[in-house]
């Protein structure tokens, strides 16, 4: 799921003007868009609708140099982060690795926080959908497997990105946007389970999804417990059992009690 | 639960020798030792059996200057962390705030990571016990209330400490030791519930406790969701329902299936 294609190709080393940086976009989608709950960019990077620092009214052109530069720069951020962590991350190192001029990076992303925020925004710019296995527990387990894979990947890019988001308000907001988007996409898992009769009507999706996934982040990121192959299934099963027993009644049902 | 007594008293500004730093300990316990799952030091600071940098065979004397300096320095770490976060934390700033010589801090704790690790070790050096409310759900809810209080306190010392532990291997290990100790102490909550017949025999305590508490850390620390007064109870109830339904069968029971 996480690309190992680091560092990015160095074949193109353009230097842009500010107008370049603001005026081009790349619309095509890449095939490998299976993403979990976290930033997992790589060769499939896609531009966000409005890159940081872009002029609001700027004309858009599909594809081109700006999108290519963005991909190179954001791939370089991930490679630097995976190798050196946040403390090794500088706009200069990113520019050098991406093969672009340092003023381009500075002008377009501002600082390391801006770079991290754009990595996270770009990671959310895909068409990832949660797994559909036919059962709530199966869907949650498959989701957790994706999360465990991402959090234990080497180099530890996703873990480093989450850790880095503690260091920058911009990155923290982008990290939160990405998670909110992922949880919103996962609501269909709960809707389907209600429709199948596995869950009480009005089951609230978000707390259920957090209950199912939080133990993964807690053990792998906070407690740094070695990965346990039983963890994704166990957390999924616990959340599914709790939900079936009515642990997440939702606002309407809760008000009625 | 978290002391607001920051900055610490400045009445004592001794300069120690290395021999001082290694030879004195303070044995008396302070009364306000109700602590949650996290570092919550303050006026009740107590020395760990062996401070960082202490010589293994050093003679111990109860109380005294070294213990007082340690308390001042660790209180200063917390105050700096609460005000400025990790990025404002330097051994010099801590020394100045604690009113001790900078070489004392440098010699005894080495660096910021050593200071953070000692804060976390000291936080675990209490006689905190989990709540005993008479029911599993009640115990877990009370525990979660403590966690929510700690994670949302102002200044955000606990959140800053956890974030800082991503920056230093020493602090990360100490954070993990503290959590492991807290979870171990909480196993009695599960034992009591099994004894009361609320849970199946052989219910595994640790995954149950993580399921109950992880949503708090996830929402308040990672997602940065505004505190929800229903969160502690909801996470407790979900974990209790899942556990009662057999979600945490333990190794023996799981092997038998």
């Amino acid at each position: 799921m996480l690309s190992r294609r680091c560092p990015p190709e160095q074949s193109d080393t353009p230097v842009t003007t500010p107008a370049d940086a603001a005026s081009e976009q790349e619309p095509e989608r890449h095939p490998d868009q299976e993403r979990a709950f976290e930033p997992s960019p790589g060769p499939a990077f896609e531009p966000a609708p409005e890159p940081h620092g872009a002029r609001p009214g700027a004309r858009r052109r599909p594809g081109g140099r700006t999108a290519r530069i963005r991909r190179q720069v954001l791939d370089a951020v991930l490679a630097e982060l995976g190798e050196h962590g946040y403390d090794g991350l500088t706009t200069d190192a990113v520019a050098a690795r991406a093969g672009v001029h340092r003023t381009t990076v500075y002008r377009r992303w501002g600082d390391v926080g801006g770079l991290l925020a754009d990595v996270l925004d770009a990671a959310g710019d895909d068409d990832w959908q949660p797994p559909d296995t036919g059962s709530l527990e199966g869907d949650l387990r498959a989701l957790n497997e994706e999360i465990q894979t991402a959090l234990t990947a080497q180099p530890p890019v996703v873990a480093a990105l989450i850790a880095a988001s503690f260091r920058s308000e911009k990155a923290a907001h982008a990290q939160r946007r990405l998670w909110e988007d992922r949880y919103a996409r996962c609501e269909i898992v709960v809707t389907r389970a209600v429709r199948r009769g596995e869950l009480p009507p009005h089951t609230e999706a978000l707390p259920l999804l957090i209950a199912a996934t939080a133990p993964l982040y807690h053990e792998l990121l906070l407690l740094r417990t070695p990965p346990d192959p039983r963890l994704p299934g166990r957390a999924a099963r616990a959340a599914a059992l709790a939900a079936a027993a009515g642990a997440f009644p939702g606002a309407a049902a809760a008000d009625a009690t």
Side-chain angles (χ1 to χ4, degrees), chain A:
Chain A
M1 189 182 46
L2 261 183
S3 164
R4 302 300 193 289
R5 199 186 61 102
C6 296
E9 294 156 30
Q10 301 282 331
S11 57
D12 191 305
T13 60
V15 175
T16 54
T17 66
D20 274 336
S23 64
E24 295 182 66
Q25 291 296 327
E26 189 171 57
E28 70 267 25
R29 292 193 166 265
H30 293 259
D32 57 340
Q33 293 183 325
E34 301 256 316
R35 310 273 170 71
F37 235 47
E38 319 74 21
S40 56
F45 245 109
E46 293 164 86
E50 206 60 69
H52 289 263
R55 294 170 310 179
R59 183 174 61 89
R60 304 249 185 103
R61 276 195 289 132
R65 187 193 292 167
T66 299
R68 213 162 46 235
I69 291 171
R70 182 175 186 232
R71 196 153 58 231
Q72 284 169 217
V73 167
L74 299 191
D75 279 348
V77 173
L78 291 168
E80 287 289 313
L81 204 58
E83 278 179 30
H84 309 297
Y86 182 94
D87 288 309
L89 201 62
T90 65
T91 49
D92 281 4
V94 167
R97 183 163 206 138
V100 303
H101 202 285
R102 56 201 290 275
T103 56
T104 303
V105 174
Y106 177 75
R107 206 161 44 215
R108 184 154 167 198
W109 286 276
D111 58 11
V112 162
L115 283 167
L116 290 169
D118 202 25
V119 163
L120 290 156
D121 284 340
D125 226 5
D126 60 14
D127 56 5
W128 180 87
Q129 292 296 325
D132 185 359
T133 67
S135 77
L136 175 66
E137 189 181 329
D139 287 0
L140 296 175
R141 186 193 300 117
L143 181 61
N144 279 351
E145 299 279 3
E146 285 193 46
I147 293 172
Q148 174 139 303
T149 300
L151 288 177
T152 56
Q154 289 301 328
V157 171
V158 172
L161 256 176
I162 296 173
S165 73
F166 281 108
R167 310 277 295 274
S168 151
E169 273 306 306
K170 268 186 276 188
H173 284 125
Q175 176 73 66
R176 185 177 165 176
R177 277 196 301 275
L178 177 61
W179 262 321
E180 282 174 347
D181 173 64
R182 290 309 201 221
Y183 281 119
R185 294 192 202 190
C186 285
E187 286 185 10
I188 185 69
V189 165
V190 179
T191 310
R192 287 194 300 243
V194 170
R195 210 181 292 143
R196 282 190 299 259
E198 288 186 79
L199 293 179
H202 308 298
T203 297
E204 201 176 0
L206 184 59
L208 194 174
L209 294 165
I210 289 175
T213 57
L216 279 283
Y217 293 99
H218 198 73
E219 292 204 16
L220 299 172
L221 207 62
L222 298 183
L223 299 180
R224 305 201 189 185
T225 309
D228 176 348
R230 298 170 307 168
L231 174 59
R234 189 173 59 205
R237 181 149 194 265
L241 284 170
F248 309 106
D255 289 348
T257 60

